[in-house]
Amino acid sequence: MPFPVTCAAGVLEGDLVRLEPLGHRHAADLAAVAEEDRASYRFTWVPTAAEVGNYIDAQLARAAQRTLLPYAQVAKASGHAVGATAYWDPRLLPDRDVLYAVEVGFTWLAASAQRTGLNTEAKFLLFANAFEVWKVARVDLKTDARNTVSRMAIERTGARFEGVLRRWSRSWAPGEAGLLRDSAMYSIIDSEWPACRTALQARLGSRECRTRACPPPPSGAVRPTE
């Protein structure tokens, strides 16, 4: 079972954002926000309003195959979904059914929700759940190597750049249907998580983690000074 149960209803909740299992109940909200300024979506799979239903169906189909655990990003201030994100590509130890690595991806936010702290807190919740509840050894992130905005956002989470894998992933850039892209690869490993956790909390204004699936670090965990 690649994705263990995290908490009641699979919800991850912070101060700014609530990550809810993606469903068609989020379709109207996502259709509305997907039609805001789309300039930042050049390299990212973001449905148009007309495509949202099919987008949700595709993500749920992957979830049924247990290769994806998709979430709607719900802004707590409004109660409306403003984007999506997911766990993806779970990897198990070959000799036993133990999850040791997972990717965080398929992320997008409405233009109005960008640079508001929601993305930072959503990443915090996903990382904390992966490392502190699932006990993974590694979290991956990747993006189109040409997507400098996404790469800077990933680097601000504390993830380390590992290199560019050529022709590694499907391209989502306009006019590149069926083509492969070069992917910039990043990761956080378990020994780096305490420092990453501290830095993300500092960026969030030193808020304490309040999600049900995000307990405090184990006793004795290193908390480097910023």
Side-chain angles (χ1 to χ4, degrees):
M1 182 174 176
F3 290 117
V5 175
T6 57
C7 60
V11 173
L12 303 176
E13 186 165 347
D15 292 331
L16 303 175
V17 65
R18 183 171 62 253
L19 301 182
E20 301 177 354
L22 180 68
H24 282 281
R25 67 188 181 283
H26 302 113
D29 285 349
L30 294 179
V33 299
E35 292 305 314
E36 294 180 5
D37 182 0
R38 296 179 60 89
S40 65
Y41 300 154
R42 180 181 174 192
F43 299 107
T44 307
W45 181 26
V46 180
T48 64
E51 295 168 339
V52 163
N54 289 337
Y55 169 86
I56 293 174
D57 284 340
Q59 299 296 61
L60 294 180
R62 284 176 166 161
Q65 297 171 350
R66 307 203 68 81
T67 60
L68 184 78
L69 186 58
Y71 293 96
Q73 301 197 64
V74 177
K76 293 185 69 175
S78 67
H80 292 291
V82 294
T85 191
Y87 289 116
W88 164 242
D89 190 22
R91 297 193 296 288
L92 306 180
L93 292 174
D95 57 340
R96 47 201 169 104
D97 195 24
V98 175
L99 181 73
Y100 76 92
V102 70
E103 182 175 333
V104 169
F106 288 98
T107 299
W108 64 274
L109 275 176
S112 59
Q114 296 173 20
R115 300 184 183 278
T116 63
L118 266 72
N119 180 61
T120 300
E121 188 174 69
K123 290 293 193 297
F124 178 90
L125 296 171
L126 292 165
F127 295 164
N129 183 69
F131 285 115
E132 298 173 13
V133 178
W134 292 349
K135 307 296 185 182
V136 300
R138 173 186 170 98
V139 170
D140 303 332
L141 302 99
K142 69 174 182 285
T143 189
D144 193 305
R146 300 167 292 181
N147 192 345
T148 56
V149 173
S150 178
R151 291 180 66 168
M152 287 189 293
I154 291 172
E155 288 166 6
R156 286 195 296 270
T157 69
R160 295 194 183 187
F161 176 58
E162 295 184 320
V164 173
L165 297 182
R166 298 176 299 167
R167 296 174 61 82
W168 180 255
S169 309
R170 173 182 177 177
S171 175
W172 299 104
E176 296 184 1
L179 300 181
L180 297 173
R181 73 182 193 194
D182 294 349
S183 289
M185 311 297 290
Y186 295 81
S187 72
I188 301 169
I189 60 173
D190 49 1
S191 61
E192 297 164 348
W193 171 238
C196 180
R197 186 187 220 281
T198 299
L200 286 172
Q201 285 187 304
R203 288 185 59 204
L204 290 166
S206 299
R207 292 184 181 92
E208 289 300 318
C209 178
R210 296 174 183 171
T211 173
R212 296 185 188 91
C214 182
S219 176
V222 178
R223 287 178 172 273
T225 303
E226 290 299 302

